[in-house]
Structure formats: C-alpha cells, structure tokens
C-alpha cells in the first residue's frame, strides 16, 4: 500500500473510531473523500495550523457538514489545536468536535455547515470577498490578497435549491479562485439516488459558466492532483471537480451503501475494514511517521512568514492602504466613526422630516458608507424599492468594478443571505443585503445561521406590513417581524422615523457579536420630538417617548409606523384627563438585554394596564402587556387594497386604539 493511501487511511480510521465511540455520526463521507482531502490538504492548501486566522490563508469549507469527522481528522493530523482527546469527545457536550462543524468551536473551521447547500453558498461569499478585497487593495507587484476557496460538497448540497442560486451567481461573477469538489458517490440517506436525483451535473454547471472537470477517480491521487492544477489554471471561471468515489471506502460489507452514511460501522465491521486496508493499529492510534508527514505547522509558518514579508513591502509602498487593510481585517471601525455617525444623527433630530423609513435607511447608508469603505451592499433584485443604492455604489461585475462595493444578487433571497454570511466570515467587509420583509421567509435559515455563527451580517427588509398595500397578502408580512425577533442572537429593529432608523443602522454596524435585521416602511412616517436623553436611549431598544406626571394610568407600546398612532391616541386620552405614557420599542431584543433597573424605569411592573400597537401578528406582544392587556395587531392575513384603507379595515386607527385602551382603563 502506498504512503498516500496510509495517510488517507489515518483520516478514515480516526473518523470510524470517533463515530463508533460516540455511537452516532456519519463515517461514510470521510471514508469516501479521504483521498481527495489528503491531496488537497498536503499538496495545495495554504494554511497555518498555529494561526488559523492568518488573513491570506486558503479557505476550506466542508459543505456536506454531516461528514464532520473528515475536517476534525484533518485539523488534528495537520497540527491544529484539536487533540486526540477532542476526537474522542466527538458529539459530546461542550466538545471542540460537535456533530456538525461549528464556527467558533473548533480552530480551523471556517463556517458552520450541516444545513446542506449553505456551505457552498458561504464559500461563494468567501470567494466574492477575496476577489473584491483584492480589487480594492492589491497593487501592481503587491498581491497581498491572493488565496483560494475550496469546497467539498455532496449530492444533498446539489439537490438543495440554494446551490442553484449561489452557483449561478458564482459563474456570472467569474470567481476563478473558487474550486469545488463534488463527492459523486450516488448515495444519500435513503439509498441510491437514481430514483430522485438524475441531473446532468456537468451540463448544469457548464450552463452556469463554470469549468467542469468530469468523472475523475476520487481515489486516484494522480488524477486529483492533475484536476486541481487544471482548476487553478482557470482564472476566469469557478471550477467543479466531479469525483467518482465510493462511500465508506474500505468497508467490506457497508461501502457503496447508505448503511454507512449516517450510522457507526460497528466494531466487527471496523475490524474487517482494518484488515482490508492493512491498518494494524488500535483505535485512535496513529503512527509517529504518519503524524510527521501530516504535520503542516512548519510549512504553514513559512507560508505566513513569506506573506508577512510581502505585506511589509506593501506597507512601505502603500502605508495608508496597509493600515486600512489591517483595520478592516481586525474588524475595527474607523477612528472618526463615532464622531461622524453621531453628527449625522444629531443633524436628523435637528431637521425633522416625514419620510418613509426605507428612505431614511437609504439616507443612513449614504452618510455611513462615506465613512465605512467596508460596507458591501446588495439587494435581491429590488434595489429601487429597498433603496439600498447610494451615490458611491459601484456594482461588482466579473471583469468590471472588481473593486466595487455593491452586489446585484438577483432574485435569490436565500442565496443572498448565505453569501453575506460567507463575506462576513471571510473578513474585510460588513455585508448588507435587502429584500421585502415578506421574503425573509426564503432566507430564514441563513439568517438563523448568521445568528448561530455570531456574524455581522445586516439584513435589510422593507415594505414591512399591510402598509405595502395593493400587492396584497402574498406580499404583506404579518408574522415575519415576530419570527425574526424569536431567532436567538439576532437583533431586530423596526424604527419609527428617520432618527430611529439612523440609530438602528449605527447599532447594527457597531455590533460585532451577531447579525441585525433592519425593518423599514414603504409609507411616510412623522418624526418624533425628543430630548437628548430620549435620543440616547433609542439605542437601548425601548424608551419613554411621551410621558405624564406621576404614575401612568396606562402605557402604550408601539413600533415603526404605529408609534405615531399611539402618540395621537395618548394625546386624546390625556385631553380626557388620563395619565398616559408612550413607549417606542424599536428593538425588543435589545431592550430585553438591558438591566432590570432600566427595563423597570421604562415599563414599571406596577403599571399593568398596557396596550401594544403594531401592524404585525398580535400574539407576540402578550409578553409585554400581559394576558389582561390589549393588542392592536394582526390576527389574519392582509388584503389587496391601498394602505390607508387596510389600516382602517384592520383597526389601526386612533379611535380603535383609544377604544382598546378604554376597555382596561
């Protein structure tokens, strides 16, 4: 048996043994892709195990994330901080080796994968970031951004519709440094895929504009090497390498079968596999000479050292660019950010305007993007409606504006959101992308993944309620804002005017530990008067906008376009001798994180008479008003009609809000 086969077998047996010890997992994919992984990681991948965050490393994404023991074995063998004990803790509580690869848990894992199709889509985002960052920073003779994005993916990834969205755009953008390996083993959980997946994958990807290298033997190192060289030689197209493999390679009775896809092989079958592959070592035992050949620490250190030498020459020639590159890769905001952003907010408060919050959002982008060159915008074919373009927008194309700052994602909401996550993971950019709020449903799982990975992806949603009007209930969001609020670690903002909109944008940009959803209206909103204290408290998620002397008889809580409604209802009740407080709550998530004293100051527990007003699903608001409170909200889908008629039809009027309040006063 060749040395390469034994090096690949180290992956196979670490994977088999870890899955067996955990009594769960997916050994088939690591066993089938071990030969491809050995060639890629030992001969081509530029990485440094002692510094997994090296800026110019190649990115490796295991899109078929159920095969997680493949990447854990690779990380362990090549010298990352993933020990043999970590492998023995595979799938156990708080281990570095969870069931699917999770960003932030394991050094060297570039993204969380498992929801199939999202890994390849993250990788498209990484490749976009690499190409665009290179366009913005590289100069003749100084290629400081110059690396590949490699992806492993399987049948499941290609069956998921998001792979079409992402790979179509990747071909259009000519992402020549994106190289994907398709594990074409003809097996998924339910068995041989011939009954449900017979696409001509080669023709499909050629139609996208990819280079396709078909039907190589995924167990033949010479063919794998030649394919990777051919992929690297094509600089204008992404490449798909179709690798014919045998799932569970080496297992005498379970290979080439779904029996090894998602279950341990069993002690008896593992023993037979050891014999079949001439592996005469105990579970979790790797010979020293194999470790030595896998160890990438010295090579990685040399690669990084050489890059730092190149960067030093770059910094000498272009000191300002070098400083800016470092700032952006370290995710620091510009030195003048705080001053400039606050000056913009103060200007808005001093110059009232009644405009749609989607327009207020565009104004905020215009102001902030001039300070933040790392903002990388985009929209899912709705830029003229979402108002995400600004005067300095420069749309990125395959061969033009490669140093641009705006992506036309096309009608690809899910793909857009997952690509944004890849851009954020790569570093150097703060991505924002927009669609109608209704269509966050298509993107929901990628938004959830951003929250899970704590990435600064900014999701912009406009046309936020029945106020959308004539397009009707198919386009009118009802439950979507509440659904976003329920995603852990996602900060959702629904501002009531141009000032709250600017502060929502500022808070989202300054947040480094997770994504934000920014929700804006189609219709104009009146600007609220505020004191400096109220202005400062907007960033706390909720604040007292209008108050009374002494303890309130009743508190109105409202967001977005309904804040003005609550204020007018409060004015009417105040004229009738009632003591009313109005709380604007642009972000329930942020408010809930405030200290108890602040939350009590805004919503005192002694005041139990409360009315929430929002043109969204009513049920969400019981947590703030209690079961004895009242909610002016939606309990059905909308209708097709002009917005003013719809608001009246569904009870979003001053008279109805006052009537609801009087029910409990």
């Amino acid at each position: 048996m060749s040395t390469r086969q034994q090096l690949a077998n180290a992956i196979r047996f670490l994977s088999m043994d870890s899955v067996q010890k955990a009594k769960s997992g997916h050994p088939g994919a690591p066993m089938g892709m071990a030969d491809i992984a050995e060639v890629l990681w030992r001969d081509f991948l530029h990485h440094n195990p002692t510094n997994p965050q090296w800026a110019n490393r190649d990115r490796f994404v295991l899109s078929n994330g159920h095969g997680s023991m493949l990447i854990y074995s690779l990380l362990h063998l090549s010298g990352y901080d993933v020990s043999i004990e970590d492998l023995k803790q595979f799938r156990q509580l708080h281990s570095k080796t969870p069931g699917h690869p999770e960003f932030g848990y394991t050094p060297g894992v570039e993204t969380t994968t498992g929801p199939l199709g999202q890994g390849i889509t993250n990788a498209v985002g990484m490749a976009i970031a690499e190409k665009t960052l290179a366009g913005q920073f590289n100069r003749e003779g100084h290629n400081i951004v110059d690396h590949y994005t490699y992806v492993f993916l399987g049948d499941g990834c290609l069956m998921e519709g998001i792979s079409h969205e992402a790979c179509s755009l990747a071909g259009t953008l000519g992402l020549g440094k994106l190289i994907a390996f398709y594990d074409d083993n003809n097996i998924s959980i339910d068995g041989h895929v011939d009954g449900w997946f017979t696409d001509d994958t080669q023709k499909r990807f050629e139609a996208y504009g990819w280079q396709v290298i078909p039907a190589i033997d995924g167990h033949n190192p010479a063919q794998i090497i030649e394919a990777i060289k051919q992929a690297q030689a094509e600089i204008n197209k992404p490449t798909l390498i179709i690798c014919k493999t045998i799932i569970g390679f080496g297992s005498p009775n379970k290979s080439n079968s779904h029996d090894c896809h998602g279950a341990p092989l069993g002690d008896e079958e593992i023993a037979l596999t050891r014999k079949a592959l001439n592996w005469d070592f105990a579970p979790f035992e790797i010979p020293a000479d194999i470790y030595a050949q896998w160890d990438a620490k010295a090579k990685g250190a040399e690669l990084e050292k050489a890059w730092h030498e190149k960067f030093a020459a770059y910094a000498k020639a272009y000191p300002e660019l070098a400083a800016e590159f470092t700032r952006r890769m370290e995710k620091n905001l510009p030195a003048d950010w705080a001053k400039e952003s606050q000056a913009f907010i103060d200007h808005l408060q001093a110059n009232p305007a009644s405009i749609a919050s989607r327009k207020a959002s565009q104004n905020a982008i215009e102001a902030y993007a001039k300070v933040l060159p790392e903002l990388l915008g985009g929209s899912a074919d709705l830029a003229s409606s979402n108002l995400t373009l600004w005067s300095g927008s420069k749309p990125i194309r395959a061969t033009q504006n490669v140093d641009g700052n705006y992506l036309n994602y096309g009608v690809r909401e899910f793909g857009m959101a997952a690509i944004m996550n890849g851009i954020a993971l790569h570093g150097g950019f703060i991505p924002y992308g927009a669609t109608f709020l209704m269509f966050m449903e298509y993107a929901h799982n990628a938004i959830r993944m951003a929250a899970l990975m704590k990435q600064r992806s900014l999701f912009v949603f406009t046309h936020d309620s029945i106020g959308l009007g004539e397009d009707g209930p198919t386009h009118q969001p009802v439950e979507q804002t509440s659904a976003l609020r329920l995603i852990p670690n996602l900060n959702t903002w629904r501002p009531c005017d141009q000032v709250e909109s600017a502060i929502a944008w500022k808070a989202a940009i300054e947040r480094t530990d997770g994504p934000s959803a920014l929700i804006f209206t189609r219709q104009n909103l009146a600007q609220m008067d505020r004191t400096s204290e109220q202005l400062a408290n907007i960033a706390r998620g909720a604040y007292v906008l209008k108050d009374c002397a002494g303890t309130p008889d009743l508190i109105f809580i409202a967001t977005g376009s309904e804040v003005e409604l609550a204020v007018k209802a409060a004015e009417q009740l105040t004229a009738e001798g009632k003591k009313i407080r109005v709380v604007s709550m642009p972000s329930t998530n942020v408010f809930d994180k405030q200290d108890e004293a602040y939350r009590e100051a805004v919503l005192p527990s002694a005041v139990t008479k409360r009315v929430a007003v929002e043109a969204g699903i009513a049920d969400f608001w019981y947590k703030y008003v209690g079961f004895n409170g009242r909610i002016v909200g939606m309990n059905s889908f909308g209708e097709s009609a002009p917005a003013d008629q719809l608001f009246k039809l569904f009870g979003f009027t001053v008279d109805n809000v006052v009537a609801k309040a009087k029910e409990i006063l």
Side-chain angles (χ1 to χ4, degrees):
M1 181 172 293
S2 72
T3 299
R4 280 196 180 275
Q5 286 177 305
Q6 286 291 62
L7 292 168
N9 285 341
I11 298 170
R12 292 187 172 100
F13 285 100
L14 287 175
S15 299
M16 277 183 266
D17 293 339
S18 298
V19 170
Q20 187 64 29
K21 187 175 188 301
K23 297 183 172 58
S24 73
H26 299 76
M31 295 169 70
M33 298 194 80
D35 297 302
I36 309 167
E38 185 272 325
V39 170
L40 176 64
W41 276 62
R42 291 188 63 253
D43 290 20
F44 292 94
L45 193 72
H46 285 195
H47 63 123
N48 184 2
T50 58
N51 181 15
Q53 299 306 312
W54 169 35
N56 200 48
R57 68 192 181 278
D58 291 335
R59 271 59 169 180
F60 174 79
V61 174
L62 183 69
S63 190
N64 45 343
H66 53 271
S68 55
M69 270 312 306
L70 175 65
I71 193 168
Y72 298 149
S73 299
L74 288 164
L75 294 169
H76 168 71
L77 290 166
S78 58
Y80 285 79
D81 185 18
V82 179
S83 69
I84 201 74
E85 291 304 315
D86 291 324
L87 300 190
K88 291 179 180 179
Q89 291 300 306
F90 177 53
R91 288 186 160 228
Q92 306 308 302
L93 184 64
H94 301 317
S95 76
K96 285 184 182 179
T97 52
H100 289 80
E102 292 189 39
F103 178 81
Y105 268 66
T106 318
V109 168
E110 300 283 3
T111 182
T112 300
T113 55
L116 294 176
Q118 287 198 61
I120 175 61
T121 310
N122 295 161
V124 170
M126 293 174 186
I128 289 171
E130 189 276 338
K131 184 173 182 177
T132 307
L133 204 65
Q136 292 182 2
F137 283 96
N138 287 356
R139 295 295 181 267
E140 186 174 353
H142 297 278
N143 290 335
I144 60 160
V145 182
D146 183 15
H147 56 264
Y148 289 93
T149 302
Y150 297 103
V151 195
F152 282 6
L153 55 88
D155 295 300
C157 290
L158 294 181
M159 284 187 251
E160 288 286 359
I162 190 175
S163 71
H164 163 76
E165 297 183 25
C167 295
S168 169
L169 185 59
T172 298
L173 292 177
L175 302 178
K177 289 189 175 178
L178 174 63
I179 300 174
F181 299 81
Y182 167 31
D183 182 29
D184 186 11
N185 58 29
N186 203 41
I187 297 290
S188 66
I189 292 176
D190 283 352
H192 288 267
V193 301
D194 296 344
W196 51 88
F197 184 56
T198 58
D199 299 12
D200 189 326
T201 299
Q202 178 178 346
K203 288 182 180 178
R204 171 185 166 187
F205 274 76
E206 287 173 346
Y208 292 153
W210 288 52
Q211 172 183 225
V212 180
I213 302 172
I216 72 162
D217 181 350
H219 303 295
N220 184 321
Q223 289 189 27
I224 299 165
I225 290 169
E226 186 58 35
I228 296 173
K229 288 180 177 178
Q230 185 178 339
Q232 291 182 340
E234 173 53 76
I235 62 173
N236 296 315
K237 296 180 179 181
T239 296
L240 180 71
I241 303 173
I242 300 176
C243 305
K244 302 298 292 186
T245 62
I246 298 171
I247 191 171
F249 181 91
S251 170
N253 299 303
K254 295 187 176 183
S255 66
N256 201 32
S257 162
H258 67 281
D259 291 340
C260 67
H261 175 93
L265 295 182
D267 290 330
E268 183 177 345
E269 186 66 15
I270 290 176
L272 291 173
T273 307
R274 277 184 157 78
K275 185 176 181 181
L277 294 177
N278 297 318
W279 187 261
D280 300 323
F281 308 104
F284 297 102
E285 180 184 347
I286 303 294
D289 64 321
I290 289 181
Y291 268 131
Q293 291 178 79
W294 264 110
D295 192 342
K297 293 192 293 294
K299 180 182 177 182
E302 283 298 316
L303 287 168
E304 183 174 355
K305 179 184 176 184
W307 180 81
H308 279 293
E309 290 171 355
K310 288 178 65 175
F311 189 79
Y314 175 77
K316 186 175 180 180
Y318 302 98
E320 292 182 1
L321 279 175
E324 179 71 358
F325 178 82
T326 300
R327 177 189 72 76
R328 285 170 56 171
M329 293 305 292
E330 291 178 352
K331 300 183 179 180
N332 297 322
L333 295 175
D336 59 348
W337 163 253
K339 177 183 175 183
E340 294 292 334
S341 57
Q342 190 59 51
F344 174 65
I345 291 164
D346 292 339
H347 170 77
L348 294 179
Q349 188 60 44
N351 295 272
S354 294
I355 58 175
S357 57
R358 63 170 173 164
K359 179 60 179 175
S361 168
Q362 184 180 45
N363 292 343
I365 295 170
E366 181 75 30
Y368 295 158
K370 292 174 181 176
V371 188
L372 294 170
E374 57 264 50
L375 275 184
L376 183 58
S379 178
D381 204 48
L382 289 167
S384 60
S385 294
N386 299 141
L387 303 185
T388 46
L389 289 165
W390 63 288
S391 63
S393 289
K394 193 175 180 181
I396 296 166
R397 299 291 184 261
T399 58
Q400 297 176 315
N401 295 347
V402 292
D403 60 342
N405 59 13
Y406 194 88
L407 288 160
N408 295 100
Y409 285 102
V411 187
R412 300 180 176 100
E413 295 89 353
F414 191 7
M416 174 180 72
I419 286 170
M420 287 166 58
N421 291 343
I423 291 169
L425 286 158
H426 179 279
F429 295 101
I430 301 173
Y432 68 88
T435 186
F436 286 176
L437 177 57
M438 184 65 246
F439 304 125
M440 59 71 62
E441 297 289 357
Y442 289 135
H444 197 139
N445 198 263
I447 299 167
R448 182 180 187 271
M449 294 296 285
L452 184 64
M453 294 189 286
K454 302 179 180 179
Q455 290 305 297
R456 184 165 44 181
S457 295
L458 311 187
F459 301 103
V460 179
F461 300 112
T462 65
H463 299 64
D464 69 341
S465 70
I466 56 171
L468 176 75
E470 294 87 343
D471 278 339
T474 60
H475 284 53
Q476 292 166 5
V478 172
E479 72 276 24
Q480 282 66 37
T481 298
S482 293
L484 288 167
R485 289 171 177 147
L486 294 176
I487 298 175
N489 198 43
L490 175 70
N491 285 354
T492 299
W493 293 85
R494 186 171 183 252
C496 78
D497 63 8
Q498 66 169 351
V499 174
E500 285 191 1
S501 298
I503 289 173
W505 264 103
K506 182 175 185 287
I509 288 166
E510 291 177 352
R511 187 179 184 214
T512 59
D513 62 350
S516 299
L518 305 170
I519 299 176
F520 301 113
T521 66
R522 178 192 185 192
Q523 67 273 25
N524 290 344
L525 305 179
Q527 182 163 322
M528 298 292 122
D529 293 328
R530 297 179 182 86
T531 65
S532 58
E533 181 181 3
Q534 289 172 321
L535 189 67
N537 284 337
I538 293 172
R540 303 189 76 169
Y543 63 103
V544 178
L545 178 63
K546 302 292 180 183
D547 211 359
C548 57
T551 302
D553 297 322
L554 179 141
I555 298 175
F556 284 121
I557 307 168
T559 80
S561 50
E562 288 69 65
V563 169
E564 181 182 1
L565 191 59
V567 168
K568 288 180 177 179
E571 289 171 350
Q572 183 172 320
L573 289 167
T574 299
E576 297 175 11
K578 302 298 183 182
K579 293 190 290 186
I580 307 296
R581 171 178 289 186
V582 178
V583 170
S584 176
M585 189 177 285
S587 178
T588 63
N589 311 96
V590 173
F591 177 68
D592 288 348
K593 295 173 187 174
Q594 301 304 307
D595 59 81
E596 184 179 355
Y598 182 77
R599 286 184 280 116
E600 179 68 18
V602 175
L603 294 175
S605 53
V607 183
T608 59
K609 295 177 180 179
R610 303 177 182 181
V611 178
V613 190
E614 184 178 61
I617 199 73
D619 284 356
F620 174 83
W621 288 99
Y622 284 112
K623 68 180 286 190
Y624 296 106
V625 303
F627 290 133
N628 295 321
R630 295 292 184 270
I631 303 165
V632 179
M634 296 293 295
N635 293 294
S636 68
F637 296 118
E639 296 283 351
S640 179
D644 57 344
Q645 296 179 28
L646 293 173
F647 282 126
K648 184 177 180 180
L649 175 68
F650 289 103
F652 295 98
T653 64
V654 174
D655 288 345
N656 188 50
V657 174
V658 169
K660 289 291 184 183
K662 287 183 175 180
E663 289 179 10
I664 55 176
L665 276 171

